[in-house]
Amino acid sequence: MADVEDRKNPVVSEVMEKDVTSAVAVAGHPLHAMTVHFPIALVFVTLAIDVIYWWSGDAFWLRAGLWSSGGAFFMGAAAGAVGTIELLSVAGIRERVASWAHAIAAIMLIALAGLNWGLRVTESAEVLPHGLLVSMMAAVVTGMAGWHGGKLIFDHGIGLMVSPKD
């Protein structure tokens, strides 16, 4: 029912007609969609490492957490740069509310990943409790950013390059 009403709405119809194909792609595959998997995985790996360190107290996990949180931050910043280029260069992406919600959640996530890495670079003793709490917050924000990113792909078809044969 809502789909039929959306098609009658001239504003929604105009937004739906805009091109949403990826502006930054390699052989037809959107680069942003290919790069976000690494920082997402590293955010959850960092959380797991913090829990293991809390449980074991082994200093090895401090060093592992330093590397995983740094990887999450730097790879997240790279994926965010590609996503920002997509957002600003493709009108069909820019005009959807979910795009901006995804961008805001992703920026929050990159900031939390940077904070998490910064805590570990400057003072590894701060991992408990601060690093663990930041890791938990980053995991929640990853879910929020992922929800909106999935909505863009699956509901709006953002970045999909479907051939006329399909």
Side-chain angles (χ1 to χ4, degrees), residues 21-26 29-39 73-90 93-94 99 102-103 106-107 110 152 158-159:
T21 56
S22 179
V24 184
V26 175
H29 300 284
L31 195 57
H32 180 66
M34 292 190 311
T35 57
V36 296
H37 298 87
F38 298 105
F73 173 61
F74 289 108
M75 294 177 103
V82 174
T84 301
I85 292 168
E86 290 277 15
L87 178 67
L88 298 177
S89 63
V90 181
I93 297 173
R94 197 173 46 246
S99 299
H102 174 67
I107 290 168
I110 293 168
L152 289 170
I158 301 293

PDB file of all heavy atoms in Angstrom, residues 21-26 29-39 73-90 93-94 99 102-103 106-107 110 152 158-159:
ATOM      1  N   THR A  21      23.560   4.657  -9.656  1.00  0.00           N
ATOM      2  CA  THR A  21      24.701   3.779  -9.900  1.00  0.00           C
ATOM      3  C   THR A  21      25.956   4.382  -9.280  1.00  0.00           C
ATOM      4  O   THR A  21      26.094   5.597  -9.141  1.00  0.00           O
ATOM      5  CB  THR A  21      24.931   3.553 -11.405  1.00  0.00           C
ATOM      6  OG1 THR A  21      25.079   4.810 -12.052  1.00  0.00           O
ATOM      7  CG2 THR A  21      23.779   2.784 -12.019  1.00  0.00           C
ATOM      8  N   SER A  22      26.878   3.527  -8.942  1.00  0.00           N
ATOM      9  CA  SER A  22      28.094   3.936  -8.250  1.00  0.00           C
ATOM     10  C   SER A  22      28.983   4.795  -9.140  1.00  0.00           C
ATOM     11  O   SER A  22      29.176   4.508 -10.315  1.00  0.00           O
ATOM     12  CB  SER A  22      28.857   2.692  -7.807  1.00  0.00           C
ATOM     13  OG  SER A  22      30.041   3.061  -7.160  1.00  0.00           O
ATOM     14  N   ALA A  23      29.532   5.861  -8.553  1.00  0.00           N
ATOM     15  CA  ALA A  23      30.457   6.729  -9.277  1.00  0.00           C
ATOM     16  C   ALA A  23      31.904   6.257  -9.108  1.00  0.00           C
ATOM     17  O   ALA A  23      32.766   6.596  -9.906  1.00  0.00           O
ATOM     18  CB  ALA A  23      30.327   8.170  -8.789  1.00  0.00           C
ATOM     19  N   VAL A  24      32.159   5.487  -8.056  1.00  0.00           N
ATOM     20  CA  VAL A  24      33.498   4.991  -7.777  1.00  0.00           C
ATOM     21  C   VAL A  24      33.420   3.465  -7.765  1.00  0.00           C
ATOM     22  O   VAL A  24      33.074   2.851  -6.757  1.00  0.00           O
ATOM     23  CB  VAL A  24      34.021   5.511  -6.417  1.00  0.00           C
ATOM     24  CG1 VAL A  24      35.450   5.062  -6.189  1.00  0.00           C
ATOM     25  CG2 VAL A  24      33.901   7.016  -6.326  1.00  0.00           C
ATOM     26  N   ALA A  25      33.720   2.875  -8.927  1.00  0.00           N
ATOM     27  CA  ALA A  25      33.584   1.426  -9.057  1.00  0.00           C
ATOM     28  C   ALA A  25      34.775   0.850  -9.810  1.00  0.00           C
ATOM     29  O   ALA A  25      35.417   1.537 -10.605  1.00  0.00           O
ATOM     30  CB  ALA A  25      32.292   1.086  -9.785  1.00  0.00           C
ATOM     31  N   VAL A  26      35.054  -0.411  -9.549  1.00  0.00           N
ATOM     32  CA  VAL A  26      36.091  -1.145 -10.250  1.00  0.00           C
ATOM     33  C   VAL A  26      35.406  -2.303 -10.968  1.00  0.00           C
ATOM     34  O   VAL A  26      34.802  -3.165 -10.320  1.00  0.00           O
ATOM     35  CB  VAL A  26      37.162  -1.683  -9.276  1.00  0.00           C
ATOM     36  CG1 VAL A  26      38.176  -2.540 -10.008  1.00  0.00           C
ATOM     37  CG2 VAL A  26      37.840  -0.538  -8.547  1.00  0.00           C
ATOM     38  N   HIS A  29      31.928  -2.920  -9.876  1.00  0.00           N
ATOM     39  CA  HIS A  29      31.704  -3.215  -8.466  1.00  0.00           C
ATOM     40  C   HIS A  29      31.984  -1.967  -7.638  1.00  0.00           C
ATOM     41  O   HIS A  29      33.100  -1.446  -7.673  1.00  0.00           O
ATOM     42  CB  HIS A  29      32.609  -4.355  -8.001  1.00  0.00           C
ATOM     43  CG  HIS A  29      32.384  -5.624  -8.742  1.00  0.00           C
ATOM     44  ND1 HIS A  29      31.300  -6.431  -8.493  1.00  0.00           N
ATOM     45  CD2 HIS A  29      33.084  -6.215  -9.734  1.00  0.00           C
ATOM     46  CE1 HIS A  29      31.346  -7.476  -9.300  1.00  0.00           C
ATOM     47  NE2 HIS A  29      32.425  -7.366 -10.068  1.00  0.00           N
ATOM     48  N   PRO A  30      30.994  -1.479  -6.867  1.00  0.00           N
ATOM     49  CA  PRO A  30      31.191  -0.264  -6.064  1.00  0.00           C
ATOM     50  C   PRO A  30      32.316  -0.439  -5.045  1.00  0.00           C
ATOM     51  O   PRO A  30      32.331  -1.390  -4.273  1.00  0.00           O
ATOM     52  CB  PRO A  30      29.856  -0.081  -5.354  1.00  0.00           C
ATOM     53  CG  PRO A  30      28.883  -0.907  -6.110  1.00  0.00           C
ATOM     54  CD  PRO A  30      29.649  -2.021  -6.732  1.00  0.00           C
ATOM     55  N   LEU A  31      33.256   0.480  -5.058  1.00  0.00           N
ATOM     56  CA  LEU A  31      34.423   0.408  -4.192  1.00  0.00           C
ATOM     57  C   LEU A  31      34.047   0.567  -2.713  1.00  0.00           C
ATOM     58  O   LEU A  31      34.620  -0.095  -1.850  1.00  0.00           O
ATOM     59  CB  LEU A  31      35.444   1.477  -4.604  1.00  0.00           C
ATOM     60  CG  LEU A  31      36.848   1.331  -4.067  1.00  0.00           C
ATOM     61  CD1 LEU A  31      37.441  -0.017  -4.448  1.00  0.00           C
ATOM     62  CD2 LEU A  31      37.726   2.448  -4.591  1.00  0.00           C
ATOM     63  N   HIS A  32      33.063   1.413  -2.428  1.00  0.00           N
ATOM     64  CA  HIS A  32      32.661   1.604  -1.033  1.00  0.00           C
ATOM     65  C   HIS A  32      32.130   0.296  -0.448  1.00  0.00           C
ATOM     66  O   HIS A  32      32.504  -0.091   0.662  1.00  0.00           O
ATOM     67  CB  HIS A  32      31.607   2.711  -0.922  1.00  0.00           C
ATOM     68  CG  HIS A  32      31.147   2.954   0.476  1.00  0.00           C
ATOM     69  ND1 HIS A  32      31.970   3.464   1.453  1.00  0.00           N
ATOM     70  CD2 HIS A  32      29.940   2.757   1.075  1.00  0.00           C
ATOM     71  CE1 HIS A  32      31.300   3.562   2.585  1.00  0.00           C
ATOM     72  NE2 HIS A  32      30.068   3.130   2.378  1.00  0.00           N
ATOM     73  N   ALA A  33      31.292  -0.384  -1.197  1.00  0.00           N
ATOM     74  CA  ALA A  33      30.739  -1.659  -0.717  1.00  0.00           C
ATOM     75  C   ALA A  33      31.821  -2.721  -0.537  1.00  0.00           C
ATOM     76  O   ALA A  33      31.695  -3.610   0.303  1.00  0.00           O
ATOM     77  CB  ALA A  33      29.669  -2.154  -1.679  1.00  0.00           C
ATOM     78  N   MET A  34      32.890  -2.612  -1.315  1.00  0.00           N
ATOM     79  CA  MET A  34      33.975  -3.590  -1.185  1.00  0.00           C
ATOM     80  C   MET A  34      34.894  -3.283  -0.004  1.00  0.00           C
ATOM     81  O   MET A  34      35.526  -4.192   0.527  1.00  0.00           O
ATOM     82  CB  MET A  34      34.813  -3.627  -2.471  1.00  0.00           C
ATOM     83  CG  MET A  34      34.070  -4.185  -3.656  1.00  0.00           C
ATOM     84  SD  MET A  34      35.069  -4.523  -5.109  1.00  0.00           S
ATOM     85  CE  MET A  34      36.028  -3.065  -5.362  1.00  0.00           C
ATOM     86  N   THR A  35      34.993  -2.042   0.414  1.00  0.00           N
ATOM     87  CA  THR A  35      35.960  -1.673   1.460  1.00  0.00           C
ATOM     88  C   THR A  35      35.383  -1.627   2.867  1.00  0.00           C
ATOM     89  O   THR A  35      36.156  -1.654   3.824  1.00  0.00           O
ATOM     90  CB  THR A  35      36.595  -0.306   1.147  1.00  0.00           C
ATOM     91  OG1 THR A  35      35.566   0.678   1.023  1.00  0.00           O
ATOM     92  CG2 THR A  35      37.422  -0.359  -0.125  1.00  0.00           C
ATOM     93  N   VAL A  36      34.080  -1.577   3.032  1.00  0.00           N
ATOM     94  CA  VAL A  36      33.519  -1.438   4.383  1.00  0.00           C
ATOM     95  C   VAL A  36      33.605  -2.715   5.209  1.00  0.00           C
ATOM     96  O   VAL A  36      33.539  -2.665   6.435  1.00  0.00           O
ATOM     97  CB  VAL A  36      32.054  -0.938   4.355  1.00  0.00           C
ATOM     98  CG1 VAL A  36      31.974   0.456   3.779  1.00  0.00           C
ATOM     99  CG2 VAL A  36      31.151  -1.896   3.625  1.00  0.00           C
ATOM    100  N   HIS A  37      33.790  -3.851   4.578  1.00  0.00           N
ATOM    101  CA  HIS A  37      33.810  -5.108   5.319  1.00  0.00           C
ATOM    102  C   HIS A  37      34.979  -5.194   6.304  1.00  0.00           C
ATOM    103  O   HIS A  37      34.829  -5.737   7.395  1.00  0.00           O
ATOM    104  CB  HIS A  37      33.865  -6.292   4.344  1.00  0.00           C
ATOM    105  CG  HIS A  37      32.680  -6.352   3.456  1.00  0.00           C
ATOM    106  ND1 HIS A  37      32.619  -5.661   2.272  1.00  0.00           N
ATOM    107  CD2 HIS A  37      31.497  -6.991   3.584  1.00  0.00           C
ATOM    108  CE1 HIS A  37      31.451  -5.889   1.709  1.00  0.00           C
ATOM    109  NE2 HIS A  37      30.752  -6.693   2.481  1.00  0.00           N
ATOM    110  N   PHE A  38      36.124  -4.664   5.912  1.00  0.00           N
ATOM    111  CA  PHE A  38      37.313  -4.770   6.762  1.00  0.00           C
ATOM    112  C   PHE A  38      37.173  -3.974   8.057  1.00  0.00           C
ATOM    113  O   PHE A  38      37.396  -4.526   9.141  1.00  0.00           O
ATOM    114  CB  PHE A  38      38.560  -4.363   5.982  1.00  0.00           C
ATOM    115  CG  PHE A  38      38.802  -5.259   4.795  1.00  0.00           C
ATOM    116  CD1 PHE A  38      38.523  -4.816   3.516  1.00  0.00           C
ATOM    117  CD2 PHE A  38      39.277  -6.544   4.964  1.00  0.00           C
ATOM    118  CE1 PHE A  38      38.722  -5.639   2.420  1.00  0.00           C
ATOM    119  CE2 PHE A  38      39.480  -7.379   3.877  1.00  0.00           C
ATOM    120  CZ  PHE A  38      39.202  -6.924   2.600  1.00  0.00           C
ATOM    121  N   PRO A  39      36.802  -2.694   8.012  1.00  0.00           N
ATOM    122  CA  PRO A  39      36.662  -1.983   9.281  1.00  0.00           C
ATOM    123  C   PRO A  39      35.527  -2.530  10.149  1.00  0.00           C
ATOM    124  O   PRO A  39      35.643  -2.544  11.375  1.00  0.00           O
ATOM    125  CB  PRO A  39      36.415  -0.529   8.877  1.00  0.00           C
ATOM    126  CG  PRO A  39      36.141  -0.532   7.432  1.00  0.00           C
ATOM    127  CD  PRO A  39      36.686  -1.792   6.861  1.00  0.00           C
ATOM    128  N   PHE A  73      40.217   1.918  12.409  1.00  0.00           N
ATOM    129  CA  PHE A  73      40.188   3.367  12.202  1.00  0.00           C
ATOM    130  C   PHE A  73      40.673   3.762  10.805  1.00  0.00           C
ATOM    131  O   PHE A  73      39.980   4.473  10.072  1.00  0.00           O
ATOM    132  CB  PHE A  73      41.023   4.076  13.271  1.00  0.00           C
ATOM    133  CG  PHE A  73      41.187   5.545  13.025  1.00  0.00           C
ATOM    134  CD1 PHE A  73      40.086   6.386  12.972  1.00  0.00           C
ATOM    135  CD2 PHE A  73      42.439   6.083  12.825  1.00  0.00           C
ATOM    136  CE1 PHE A  73      40.240   7.741  12.731  1.00  0.00           C
ATOM    137  CE2 PHE A  73      42.606   7.436  12.587  1.00  0.00           C
ATOM    138  CZ  PHE A  73      41.499   8.269  12.542  1.00  0.00           C
ATOM    139  N   PHE A  74      41.854   3.293  10.430  1.00  0.00           N
ATOM    140  CA  PHE A  74      42.424   3.731   9.150  1.00  0.00           C
ATOM    141  C   PHE A  74      41.668   3.164   7.952  1.00  0.00           C
ATOM    142  O   PHE A  74      41.439   3.865   6.968  1.00  0.00           O
ATOM    143  CB  PHE A  74      43.918   3.410   9.087  1.00  0.00           C
ATOM    144  CG  PHE A  74      44.731   4.286   9.996  1.00  0.00           C
ATOM    145  CD1 PHE A  74      45.290   3.783  11.150  1.00  0.00           C
ATOM    146  CD2 PHE A  74      44.892   5.631   9.705  1.00  0.00           C
ATOM    147  CE1 PHE A  74      46.018   4.598  12.002  1.00  0.00           C
ATOM    148  CE2 PHE A  74      45.612   6.461  10.549  1.00  0.00           C
ATOM    149  CZ  PHE A  74      46.185   5.948  11.702  1.00  0.00           C
ATOM    150  N   MET A  75      41.256   1.911   8.036  1.00  0.00           N
ATOM    151  CA  MET A  75      40.478   1.345   6.926  1.00  0.00           C
ATOM    152  C   MET A  75      39.070   1.952   6.889  1.00  0.00           C
ATOM    153  O   MET A  75      38.497   2.136   5.817  1.00  0.00           O
ATOM    154  CB  MET A  75      40.423  -0.167   7.042  1.00  0.00           C
ATOM    155  CG  MET A  75      41.790  -0.797   6.861  1.00  0.00           C
ATOM    156  SD  MET A  75      41.752  -2.567   7.084  1.00  0.00           S
ATOM    157  CE  MET A  75      41.806  -3.051   5.374  1.00  0.00           C
ATOM    158  N   GLY A  76      38.527   2.275   8.054  1.00  0.00           N
ATOM    159  CA  GLY A  76      37.231   2.951   8.104  1.00  0.00           C
ATOM    160  C   GLY A  76      37.300   4.347   7.510  1.00  0.00           C
ATOM    161  O   GLY A  76      36.388   4.787   6.812  1.00  0.00           O
ATOM    162  N   ALA A  77      38.406   5.044   7.774  1.00  0.00           N
ATOM    163  CA  ALA A  77      38.583   6.381   7.184  1.00  0.00           C
ATOM    164  C   ALA A  77      38.680   6.284   5.662  1.00  0.00           C
ATOM    165  O   ALA A  77      38.114   7.121   4.944  1.00  0.00           O
ATOM    166  CB  ALA A  77      39.823   7.049   7.761  1.00  0.00           C
ATOM    167  N   ALA A  78      39.368   5.264   5.167  1.00  0.00           N
ATOM    168  CA  ALA A  78      39.477   5.082   3.711  1.00  0.00           C
ATOM    169  C   ALA A  78      38.117   4.749   3.101  1.00  0.00           C
ATOM    170  O   ALA A  78      37.722   5.328   2.076  1.00  0.00           O
ATOM    171  CB  ALA A  78      40.488   3.984   3.391  1.00  0.00           C
ATOM    172  N   ALA A  79      37.377   3.843   3.729  1.00  0.00           N
ATOM    173  CA  ALA A  79      36.041   3.500   3.231  1.00  0.00           C
ATOM    174  C   ALA A  79      35.111   4.707   3.323  1.00  0.00           C
ATOM    175  O   ALA A  79      34.278   4.936   2.438  1.00  0.00           O
ATOM    176  CB  ALA A  79      35.464   2.322   4.017  1.00  0.00           C
ATOM    177  N   GLY A  80      35.267   5.494   4.377  1.00  0.00           N
ATOM    178  CA  GLY A  80      34.455   6.702   4.533  1.00  0.00           C
ATOM    179  C   GLY A  80      34.753   7.741   3.468  1.00  0.00           C
ATOM    180  O   GLY A  80      33.857   8.444   3.002  1.00  0.00           O
ATOM    181  N   ALA A  81      36.015   7.851   3.069  1.00  0.00           N
ATOM    182  CA  ALA A  81      36.376   8.797   2.010  1.00  0.00           C
ATOM    183  C   ALA A  81      35.711   8.400   0.694  1.00  0.00           C
ATOM    184  O   ALA A  81      35.153   9.252  -0.015  1.00  0.00           O
ATOM    185  CB  ALA A  81      37.889   8.851   1.838  1.00  0.00           C
ATOM    186  N   VAL A  82      35.729   7.115   0.386  1.00  0.00           N
ATOM    187  CA  VAL A  82      35.075   6.641  -0.841  1.00  0.00           C
ATOM    188  C   VAL A  82      33.568   6.851  -0.744  1.00  0.00           C
ATOM    189  O   VAL A  82      32.925   7.304  -1.707  1.00  0.00           O
ATOM    190  CB  VAL A  82      35.412   5.154  -1.105  1.00  0.00           C
ATOM    191  CG1 VAL A  82      34.622   4.624  -2.286  1.00  0.00           C
ATOM    192  CG2 VAL A  82      36.898   4.976  -1.330  1.00  0.00           C
ATOM    193  N   GLY A  83      32.990   6.555   0.414  1.00  0.00           N
ATOM    194  CA  GLY A  83      31.557   6.770   0.608  1.00  0.00           C
ATOM    195  C   GLY A  83      31.164   8.233   0.492  1.00  0.00           C
ATOM    196  O   GLY A  83      30.105   8.570  -0.050  1.00  0.00           O
ATOM    197  N   THR A  84      32.015   9.115   0.978  1.00  0.00           N
ATOM    198  CA  THR A  84      31.739  10.553   0.870  1.00  0.00           C
ATOM    199  C   THR A  84      31.760  11.003  -0.584  1.00  0.00           C
ATOM    200  O   THR A  84      30.907  11.802  -1.004  1.00  0.00           O
ATOM    201  CB  THR A  84      32.773  11.347   1.692  1.00  0.00           C
ATOM    202  OG1 THR A  84      32.693  10.931   3.056  1.00  0.00           O
ATOM    203  CG2 THR A  84      32.523  12.836   1.600  1.00  0.00           C
ATOM    204  N   ILE A  85      32.695  10.474  -1.352  1.00  0.00           N
ATOM    205  CA  ILE A  85      32.733  10.801  -2.788  1.00  0.00           C
ATOM    206  C   ILE A  85      31.441  10.337  -3.458  1.00  0.00           C
ATOM    207  O   ILE A  85      30.843  11.064  -4.250  1.00  0.00           O
ATOM    208  CB  ILE A  85      33.974  10.176  -3.457  1.00  0.00           C
ATOM    209  CG1 ILE A  85      35.243  10.850  -2.943  1.00  0.00           C
ATOM    210  CG2 ILE A  85      33.886  10.272  -4.975  1.00  0.00           C
ATOM    211  CD1 ILE A  85      36.527  10.130  -3.321  1.00  0.00           C
ATOM    212  N   GLU A  86      30.992   9.129  -3.125  1.00  0.00           N
ATOM    213  CA  GLU A  86      29.729   8.613  -3.675  1.00  0.00           C
ATOM    214  C   GLU A  86      28.565   9.522  -3.296  1.00  0.00           C
ATOM    215  O   GLU A  86      27.739   9.881  -4.130  1.00  0.00           O
ATOM    216  CB  GLU A  86      29.447   7.200  -3.154  1.00  0.00           C
ATOM    217  CG  GLU A  86      30.343   6.141  -3.680  1.00  0.00           C
ATOM    218  CD  GLU A  86      29.919   5.611  -5.028  1.00  0.00           C
ATOM    219  OE1 GLU A  86      29.091   6.234  -5.714  1.00  0.00           O
ATOM    220  OE2 GLU A  86      30.429   4.555  -5.405  1.00  0.00           O
ATOM    221  N   LEU A  87      28.503   9.876  -2.019  1.00  0.00           N
ATOM    222  CA  LEU A  87      27.398  10.698  -1.522  1.00  0.00           C
ATOM    223  C   LEU A  87      27.344  12.045  -2.224  1.00  0.00           C
ATOM    224  O   LEU A  87      26.272  12.501  -2.635  1.00  0.00           O
ATOM    225  CB  LEU A  87      27.545  10.900  -0.007  1.00  0.00           C
ATOM    226  CG  LEU A  87      26.499  11.779   0.670  1.00  0.00           C
ATOM    227  CD1 LEU A  87      25.138  11.113   0.641  1.00  0.00           C
ATOM    228  CD2 LEU A  87      26.912  12.072   2.101  1.00  0.00           C
ATOM    229  N   LEU A  88      28.487  12.674  -2.381  1.00  0.00           N
ATOM    230  CA  LEU A  88      28.511  14.021  -2.949  1.00  0.00           C
ATOM    231  C   LEU A  88      28.423  14.043  -4.476  1.00  0.00           C
ATOM    232  O   LEU A  88      28.003  15.042  -5.049  1.00  0.00           O
ATOM    233  CB  LEU A  88      29.764  14.755  -2.486  1.00  0.00           C
ATOM    234  CG  LEU A  88      29.867  14.967  -0.972  1.00  0.00           C
ATOM    235  CD1 LEU A  88      31.186  15.629  -0.627  1.00  0.00           C
ATOM    236  CD2 LEU A  88      28.689  15.763  -0.448  1.00  0.00           C
ATOM    237  N   SER A  89      28.803  12.961  -5.137  1.00  0.00           N
ATOM    238  CA  SER A  89      28.844  12.997  -6.601  1.00  0.00           C
ATOM    239  C   SER A  89      27.637  12.380  -7.295  1.00  0.00           C
ATOM    240  O   SER A  89      27.436  12.610  -8.481  1.00  0.00           O
ATOM    241  CB  SER A  89      30.119  12.317  -7.104  1.00  0.00           C
ATOM    242  OG  SER A  89      30.127  10.955  -6.748  1.00  0.00           O
ATOM    243  N   VAL A  90      26.809  11.621  -6.593  1.00  0.00           N
ATOM    244  CA  VAL A  90      25.660  10.975  -7.216  1.00  0.00           C
ATOM    245  C   VAL A  90      24.374  11.572  -6.626  1.00  0.00           C
ATOM    246  O   VAL A  90      24.072  11.377  -5.449  1.00  0.00           O
ATOM    247  CB  VAL A  90      25.689   9.443  -7.006  1.00  0.00           C
ATOM    248  CG1 VAL A  90      24.492   8.789  -7.679  1.00  0.00           C
ATOM    249  CG2 VAL A  90      26.992   8.864  -7.530  1.00  0.00           C
ATOM    250  N   ILE A  93      21.826   9.366  -4.771  1.00  0.00           N
ATOM    251  CA  ILE A  93      22.229   8.965  -3.422  1.00  0.00           C
ATOM    252  C   ILE A  93      22.053  10.137  -2.469  1.00  0.00           C
ATOM    253  O   ILE A  93      21.510  10.006  -1.377  1.00  0.00           O
ATOM    254  CB  ILE A  93      23.695   8.466  -3.412  1.00  0.00           C
ATOM    255  CG1 ILE A  93      23.835   7.216  -4.269  1.00  0.00           C
ATOM    256  CG2 ILE A  93      24.172   8.217  -1.991  1.00  0.00           C
ATOM    257  CD1 ILE A  93      25.265   6.749  -4.453  1.00  0.00           C
ATOM    258  N   ARG A  94      22.479  11.297  -2.901  1.00  0.00           N
ATOM    259  CA  ARG A  94      22.472  12.503  -2.079  1.00  0.00           C
ATOM    260  C   ARG A  94      21.061  12.897  -1.637  1.00  0.00           C
ATOM    261  O   ARG A  94      20.874  13.448  -0.564  1.00  0.00           O
ATOM    262  CB  ARG A  94      23.118  13.628  -2.881  1.00  0.00           C
ATOM    263  CG  ARG A  94      23.562  14.800  -2.110  1.00  0.00           C
ATOM    264  CD  ARG A  94      24.351  15.802  -2.926  1.00  0.00           C
ATOM    265  NE  ARG A  94      23.769  16.117  -4.224  1.00  0.00           N
ATOM    266  CZ  ARG A  94      24.317  15.810  -5.399  1.00  0.00           C
ATOM    267  NH1 ARG A  94      25.463  15.168  -5.452  1.00  0.00           N
ATOM    268  NH2 ARG A  94      23.738  16.148  -6.523  1.00  0.00           N
ATOM    269  N   SER A  99      20.693   7.904   3.111  1.00  0.00           N
ATOM    270  CA  SER A  99      22.102   8.153   2.793  1.00  0.00           C
ATOM    271  C   SER A  99      22.740   9.036   3.852  1.00  0.00           C
ATOM    272  O   SER A  99      23.875   8.796   4.282  1.00  0.00           O
ATOM    273  CB  SER A  99      22.234   8.828   1.432  1.00  0.00           C
ATOM    274  OG  SER A  99      21.712   8.024   0.418  1.00  0.00           O
ATOM    275  N   HIS A 102      23.054   7.131   7.159  1.00  0.00           N
ATOM    276  CA  HIS A 102      24.195   6.222   7.062  1.00  0.00           C
ATOM    277  C   HIS A 102      25.503   6.996   7.194  1.00  0.00           C
ATOM    278  O   HIS A 102      26.421   6.559   7.916  1.00  0.00           O
ATOM    279  CB  HIS A 102      24.153   5.475   5.727  1.00  0.00           C
ATOM    280  CG  HIS A 102      25.343   4.619   5.459  1.00  0.00           C
ATOM    281  ND1 HIS A 102      25.633   3.488   6.200  1.00  0.00           N
ATOM    282  CD2 HIS A 102      26.342   4.729   4.543  1.00  0.00           C
ATOM    283  CE1 HIS A 102      26.747   2.944   5.738  1.00  0.00           C
ATOM    284  NE2 HIS A 102      27.201   3.681   4.738  1.00  0.00           N
ATOM    285  N   ALA A 103      25.606   8.138   6.537  1.00  0.00           N
ATOM    286  CA  ALA A 103      26.835   8.939   6.590  1.00  0.00           C
ATOM    287  C   ALA A 103      27.107   9.429   8.010  1.00  0.00           C
ATOM    288  O   ALA A 103      28.257   9.371   8.477  1.00  0.00           O
ATOM    289  CB  ALA A 103      26.732  10.127   5.626  1.00  0.00           C
ATOM    290  N   ALA A 106      28.223   6.533  10.125  1.00  0.00           N
ATOM    291  CA  ALA A 106      29.573   6.117   9.728  1.00  0.00           C
ATOM    292  C   ALA A 106      30.627   7.092  10.261  1.00  0.00           C
ATOM    293  O   ALA A 106      31.706   6.666  10.701  1.00  0.00           O
ATOM    294  CB  ALA A 106      29.665   6.005   8.213  1.00  0.00           C
ATOM    295  N   ILE A 107      30.333   8.381  10.241  1.00  0.00           N
ATOM    296  CA  ILE A 107      31.270   9.365  10.795  1.00  0.00           C
ATOM    297  C   ILE A 107      31.423   9.170  12.297  1.00  0.00           C
ATOM    298  O   ILE A 107      32.528   9.247  12.845  1.00  0.00           O
ATOM    299  CB  ILE A 107      30.808  10.800  10.448  1.00  0.00           C
ATOM    300  CG1 ILE A 107      30.982  11.043   8.951  1.00  0.00           C
ATOM    301  CG2 ILE A 107      31.575  11.833  11.265  1.00  0.00           C
ATOM    302  CD1 ILE A 107      30.306  12.294   8.452  1.00  0.00           C
ATOM    303  N   ILE A 110      33.691   6.143  12.727  1.00  0.00           N
ATOM    304  CA  ILE A 110      35.101   6.448  12.480  1.00  0.00           C
ATOM    305  C   ILE A 110      35.690   7.226  13.664  1.00  0.00           C
ATOM    306  O   ILE A 110      36.821   6.973  14.082  1.00  0.00           O
ATOM    307  CB  ILE A 110      35.271   7.220  11.163  1.00  0.00           C
ATOM    308  CG1 ILE A 110      34.908   6.306   9.976  1.00  0.00           C
ATOM    309  CG2 ILE A 110      36.695   7.737  11.003  1.00  0.00           C
ATOM    310  CD1 ILE A 110      34.765   7.037   8.660  1.00  0.00           C
ATOM    311  N   LEU A 152      19.999   1.241   2.086  1.00  0.00           N
ATOM    312  CA  LEU A 152      20.331   1.896   0.812  1.00  0.00           C
ATOM    313  C   LEU A 152      20.487   0.879  -0.310  1.00  0.00           C
ATOM    314  O   LEU A 152      20.036   1.110  -1.430  1.00  0.00           O
ATOM    315  CB  LEU A 152      21.622   2.708   0.961  1.00  0.00           C
ATOM    316  CG  LEU A 152      21.510   3.967   1.798  1.00  0.00           C
ATOM    317  CD1 LEU A 152      22.885   4.531   2.077  1.00  0.00           C
ATOM    318  CD2 LEU A 152      20.642   4.983   1.092  1.00  0.00           C
ATOM    319  N   ILE A 158      20.888   1.322  -4.242  1.00  0.00           N
ATOM    320  CA  ILE A 158      22.044   2.201  -4.397  1.00  0.00           C
ATOM    321  C   ILE A 158      23.281   1.383  -4.762  1.00  0.00           C
ATOM    322  O   ILE A 158      23.584   0.381  -4.125  1.00  0.00           O
ATOM    323  CB  ILE A 158      22.320   2.987  -3.094  1.00  0.00           C
ATOM    324  CG1 ILE A 158      21.125   3.828  -2.689  1.00  0.00           C
ATOM    325  CG2 ILE A 158      23.588   3.825  -3.202  1.00  0.00           C
ATOM    326  CD1 ILE A 158      20.790   4.957  -3.589  1.00  0.00           C
ATOM    327  N   GLY A 159      23.987   1.830  -5.773  1.00  0.00           N
ATOM    328  CA  GLY A 159      25.239   1.203  -6.157  1.00  0.00           C
ATOM    329  C   GLY A 159      25.101  -0.075  -6.954  1.00  0.00           C
ATOM    330  O   GLY A 159      26.088  -0.670  -7.345  1.00  0.00           O
TER     331      GLY A 159
END
